[in-house]
Amino acid sequence: MRQSWLERMRDAIADRGRELLKLEPGSRTAHDPLALCRQLLSGHGEASAVALSRAILQLYQGFDAAQRENFFDMLLDEFGPDAAAIEAATARYVGSSDTDDFLALLNLVEPPRQELFRRLNMAPHGTASLVAMRADLLAMQRERPAYRAIDADLKHLLSSWFNRGFLQLRAIDWNSPAQVLEKLIGYEAVHEIRDWDDLHRRLMEDRRCFAFFHPAMPDEPLIFVEVALVNGMAEYVRPLLDTQTPVLDPATADTAMFYSINNTQTGLRGISFGNFLIKQVLTELRAEFPGLKRFATLSPMPRFAATLRVALAGEGRGLSTPLVDALLAPYAETLCAAAGSDQVRQALASLLDGEPASHASVLAEPLKLLALAYVSATRTDGGLIDPVATFHLSNGAQLECINPFADLSEHGMSASFGVMVNYRYAPEQVEQNHESFVGTGNIATARPLAKLYRRLEEIRVALNDD
Amino acid sequence: MRQSWLERMRDAIADRGRELLKLEPGSRTAHDPLALCRQLLSGHGEASAVALSRAILQLYQGFDAAQRENFFDMLLDEFGPDAAAIEAATARYVGSSDTDDFLALLNLVEPPRQELFRRLNMAPHGTASLVAMRADLLAMQRERPAYRAIDADLKHLLSSWFNRGFLQLRAIDWNSPAQVLEKLIGYEAVHEIRDWDDLHRRLMEDRRCFAFFHPAMPDEPLIFVEVALVNGMAEYVRPLLDTQTPVLDPATADTAMFYSINNTQTGLRGISFGNFLIKQVLTELRAEFPGLKRFATLSPMPRFAATLRVALAGEGRGLSTPLVDALLAPYAETLCAAAGSDQVRQALASLLDGEPASHASVLAEPLKLLALAYVSATRTDGGLIDPVATFHLSNGAQLECINPFADLSEHGMSASFGVMVNYRYAPEQVEQNHESFVGTGNIATARPLAKLYRRLEEIRVALNDD
Amino acid sequence: MRQSWLERMRDAIADRGRELLKLEPGSRTAHDPLALCRQLLSGHGEASAVALSRAILQLYQGFDAAQRENFFDMLLDEFGPDAAAIEAATARYVGSSDTDDFLALLNLVEPPRQELFRRLNMAPHGTASLVAMRADLLAMQRERPAYRAIDADLKHLLSSWFNRGFLQLRAIDWNSPAQVLEKLIGYEAVHEIRDWDDLHRRLMEDRRCFAFFHPAMPDEPLIFVEVALVNGMAEYVRPLLDTQTPVLDPATADTAMFYSINNTQTGLRGISFGNFLIKQVLTELRAEFPGLKRFATLSPMPRFAATLRVALAGEGRGLSTPLVDALLAPYAETLCAAAGSDQVRQALASLLDGEPASHASVLAEPLKLLALAYVSATRTDGGLIDPVATFHLSNGAQLECINPFADLSEHGMSASFGVMVNYRYAPEQVEQNHESFVGTGNIATARPLAKLYRRLEEIRVALNDD
Amino acid sequence: MRQSWLERMRDAIADRGRELLKLEPGSRTAHDPLALCRQLLSGHGEASAVALSRAILQLYQGFDAAQRENFFDMLLDEFGPDAAAIEAATARYVGSSDTDDFLALLNLVEPPRQELFRRLNMAPHGTASLVAMRADLLAMQRERPAYRAIDADLKHLLSSWFNRGFLQLRAIDWNSPAQVLEKLIGYEAVHEIRDWDDLHRRLMEDRRCFAFFHPAMPDEPLIFVEVALVNGMAEYVRPLLDTQTPVLDPATADTAMFYSINNTQTGLRGISFGNFLIKQVLTELRAEFPGLKRFATLSPMPRFAATLRVALAGEGRGLSTPLVDALLAPYAETLCAAAGSDQVRQALASLLDGEPASHASVLAEPLKLLALAYVSATRTDGGLIDPVATFHLSNGAQLECINPFADLSEHGMSASFGVMVNYRYAPEQVEQNHESFVGTGNIATARPLAKLYRRLEEIRVALNDD
């Protein structure tokens, strides 16, 4: 209640300013974003900065698509850099190497709209509004590549404001405000939360949920991770999600499964928290449950099915068709027999197009091998094609296990033929794995996978496929 | 207690990282700031950013003056801009006007140390450490003007991070943590808080204290204002400070006196919160006490005595000697009579050097006039010479009253011969006063002062003194 | 999280005690409630009181119905009063009138089980366990009237512990813990909360929900009231419950409708909070919304249909058959015409048994009159037969309005043929209404009802029906 | 701030009631406590119970000593038990053994003033007011022994309300509200807290302070214990109290010294929390610092000096003169030599009356022996004469060490010639020690003291002194 009182205060301040500014709905200035933005940036605007910034953001929130485009065009044209001035300032600085000349240049290169964004942040809910504005901008950017210049300013600011040092970790449980819990339901994109009962099960004693919050958006989890405390590495997703799964005494668990990680804010795309979140959660879990011996994910491969289909169709990139052919060769007989086809790629495709799970015995091994090939497949620039693998491996996890038929849900089947991956965070190896992956692209693998991975790498070398 | 638990967690994370980094006290890297900073900025540092940033800040905290100078020199030399690269990038951008070329330039012009500071902020208490580092830097800057380049980066970041939108207003009272209250005692610089009893009186029912806090420094009031709820405009400071003053029922007060405003962080110099604080506090007070009719300060003139002495010595600047002479002319007779001198400037000086309060009847009028001249005196660049007047008038206050012998304390006497000023915040005029002061330098004055002020301005015009 | 930590501590203390007591699951004492209770009451038990009380309550929680009966029998036989000792002590006191003799008697008359209950309260969650134990006891009391002696002790203690001075009012909204909100869903018995969306609507800006909590049961609302802020007195319940009803700006509302009040704890039966809750909520609403002019309920008549049926069947008590006949007489023609019957009671019954709402025009007036007769009908002991009317009228409300067809839900129809009642709390009349109702049984009625009520009273007098 | 808002609400409710009751300061009823109390107890009072109870308590607070006496006399005369009715009810119950007859008797024996007190508790701050009222009552009781009957009712209620199950343990540190910290300064009676700096040192990292609070008196610590985390058993009090003592890293401490325990509320005399506090604090400390191996007090002997003086004067009771003589016999020579006297009791007295510490070598042994005799000395009813020993030994502590010259402060010297005692809480022996002390009066002693204690007991037996 106190909060809402403070918010009312803040609104009152903004309202008062609005009044002083004669920003009545009917007035001309009130509807001229350019005039308002100029005033906000001018010295005169200082005394009413809160009111002005609020007026601009409210105006923006009422805009339709065309008006937003006008607004962004204005930011581009009116509040962008001054090339001529920059040229002159550079010349002066390069000539003099003088501190003041450099500061003058620095000042000129930063486009005025960056300061404009900073001032807009003063409005009530300013930060949330700017994050939302960036989401709009990103959506429009495909058609208007020049907007990347605006985005560069917004992203620069948001990166600075959402610095790890400002994020607050909070445990979320059944005692958390419904306000926040409701958002988990809305944001969960990996394994849909069906209803409040489903959510409740995910917050019981043998589950944990942690999120980062920013002080300026206190009700918005920015990223959250759902953890199941279990015995033994979880290979199947169903028991983790089933509301009927009996609740385990968490003190007896030996493994923490990170079974869902969600970034919630489109407007913070490219500003990464996941790394920090996993590490801090890991530290907290170890402190709370000294009995935990294993920390791992059960992760999806969102584009495995699509990528494999392309490869089977003879046009594989990243996961190349020749590699797929080579990997499938040993299974040709069984696959073709099961599919009643005599072409191995076709056979696999037809088995997968049916109900892959019903061919488990035939498909398990080749699927595992192909999935391994997929998660380790690289793009031409050297990065991995799979974003989830990239995320965990660059965070220092190791590839622990590949589980065919781990997710038999409709979505799991259509995205990855049901295959899921365990990435394991072994605290004492995280740093070394990270260094090795970032430095040389080397993927740490658990012993049981190592032999398979070596065979795969040999085939790749033989095919000159890398 | 929860907080300290979270803090322990965060420390544990940093410790773990430190271990992984082999940052044992004995190791070589652990003591090489350059190596540590380079690692922190490199991609490899990402996984251990928290540990690295903590290690660097701890190292810094142990530095003596010479080591700090080395550290800042390193920031200057190793993490500064690359002039040649900037020159080339400017040329490319000016030639192409291309977005990517501009972004490349933008990227180059921001010195790498700015990103370094951003990463240092990830450490536990990183923000507070950077604020403290800037305080060190400002102290050294006088002797090392080149450090202004480093300061520009730090100030730029801190301005962005201490944006009004991130500050939290909190009321401070006798229920606040001793942790915070203790800081008020330490930080109060206008009217010293003598002990906890003095503090307690300032937090009773007819007093209010508000401060801005930043979420990353939750125990540190950044700026605070002390308010007394009284009846009628307070002209004397003693009743506001006396612990024996009877406590008024605040619901019966008609006036809120802002009798002390303190910025607490040297490291945030030049980043201004006062304007926002006063306005928000004003709004809160109006909401809590609808009976309040007047909001005003009782403000010091810290350099009035010094400035006046110079003028009396015949070397006045800002407050010019001819103006002082002209203002004193009508009082020549009484002043000389009282002082037993025949030279009016000398007479005034000797009266002031004695015990001015004992000549109240003789000195009151001339002191008032001189004080008015002082607060409205300008520098060659057009700004006022008095920083307190500048602050309140540019915030939209009006000059309400000048009170000779308002502060008879030793400090009040030596700083301003006891004279204090009321600036009044009339909500409905704030905006207009601000516009008028910022635009044309016009000082809004209350009716009783207006005639005096007009006379003063006429004399100034006659003397061509402006 | 802190709380759960404290709870863990408290559990740890109890565990430690249990260990010291050798209360291992296997030991004999651990399963002998009589031995445990004796030890808890003895001086020796003091050092391990927390552990003992916990052991007893845990034992109790595992009991089946027969074991519970044994337990209560034990309380009756072993920890009841000592008649002979009481007799002797009374004689001594009556003889001496001495303070000490009285104190000795006082001490003897209070059965030892009362002190036993007090000590059981020391266990973690002791208070909640005792409340639950009383709920069990009340259920068994019908068959075992002697248990009333045990209940007298428990009720005496709980009345003292749940004293108004210890209850805490909390506003419940969408920011409240899911833990608490879930309980509202479970406890709401007047107008079922169908799901979380329904609950969410009831906690939006134009709704308020307040509950009393006890510090020893911090997650348990003991009683809660749901309030709708609307314009004009609400006569129909649907708009108050419909999740699609547009949200009103609460600052514009002129009426607060208390549309649902629920006691949640069977174990606190007979310990009344409703009176205090309504008054405090009323005060809070007036403070938050100065625009509110009317405070009223829209209340059910849970037994109206059943009572009326009995009366129509010729066996009315409280609401007597002759009175019903007299009231229906003027409507005989229209009722019989609509029902195609020639006996007025039968006609009414058949209309009501069909779909009463479809005969609205015919039924509205007689239903209103009968409902008025029902809410004002008395039992032989002088009290009203309707508990809801008793509650509000004795709290000082006045009978404001009777609304036929106010609740067309299945439940509303079957309980009261859809009729609901507005009781209005006019702050300035509450006290007088209360005095008058408690003193003379007089029912305050709003002007529009007054004439009808007078007519009713005249008929009653004529029939000698009171 | 919310709290004070709620409090204002509660006050508003009470005010409103007061208004309805026409309890204006001038009215007659407003000043007639008897009329007000009768109304509060009557059914009519229910609707305005909060206002009535507040009016009575405010009236009481304004009473002078004589008026208080009148008030208590009224409680005695008008709201006491009805002997005749009790006699009749007893007869009925004894005759019938009927439940209802017993309940009727139970109801009659509880004096009406007990229900009156329960209703007074509804007022804002009612609980605190009743605690204060009992403090008044206890003070008057010496002269008016009949008031014990009133006290029995108040104590009975307060015991029930301050049940362990309702108390909340809170850690107090430098982050606690000044409001609460100020009270520690006021309440500390064992080792005076000189000022806020002294308090601050007692709340640093190597110190802990815990208190029990009651939800109805949230700012009032009811009992608090101060703990120092040190290495090795503390034998001297100065290092624990000296603000200059270096702060120890608490994780390295092996011993927790409970060096000050204070009950704060006279009005709760005889309602004991200390036992529970020590045990819970012990559990918390073990959880927070697994390295702790020892938990002990450094306790005063407030009446040792006085008791010893009486014994030396030849009139010892509890600590008998013959026992003192027997104990001193072996030291006769050295004592007399040092004192220049030839009578051993006189010699000791004169050494103690000088500056005992300067005769440390001569006095240490005999003082230790006498102190041991003192703490184990019994009254005629079998209890120990020393209340501190009684408290810790009956809580299950063992007598660990007796330290001559442990407290050389003026107060320590005058109260106990500087001797202090360590009582040790060994978690695994607490229960057994308690049983043994409560059952047979046996005092558990640490091994080093055991031999001395046996010798003492032998002398006692020889002297037939017990």
Side-chain angles (χ1 to χ4, degrees), chain B residues 393 396-400 429 433 436-437 442-446 453:
Chain B
L393 295 173
Q398 75 177 9
L399 192 57
E400 184 74 13
Q429 287 166 16
N433 290 344
S436 170
F437 181 77
N442 184 54
I443 294 176
T445 47
Y453 186 56

Side-chain angles (χ1 to χ4, degrees), chain A residues 342-361:
Chain A
D342 56 1
Q343 216 263 334
V344 61
R345 271 199 248 150
Q346 228 165 49
L348 180 65
S350 93
L351 291 175
L352 293 173
D353 277 349
E355 297 208 354
S358 60
H359 304 282
S361 61

Side-chain angles (χ1 to χ4, degrees), chain B residues 331-364:
Chain B
Y331 306 102
E333 205 166 333
T334 50
L335 287 171
C336 292
S341 152
D342 56 0
Q343 217 264 333
V344 62
R345 273 198 247 149
Q346 228 164 47
L348 180 65
S350 92
L351 290 176
L352 292 174
D353 280 347
E355 298 209 353
S358 59
H359 303 282
S361 60
V362 174
L363 286 172

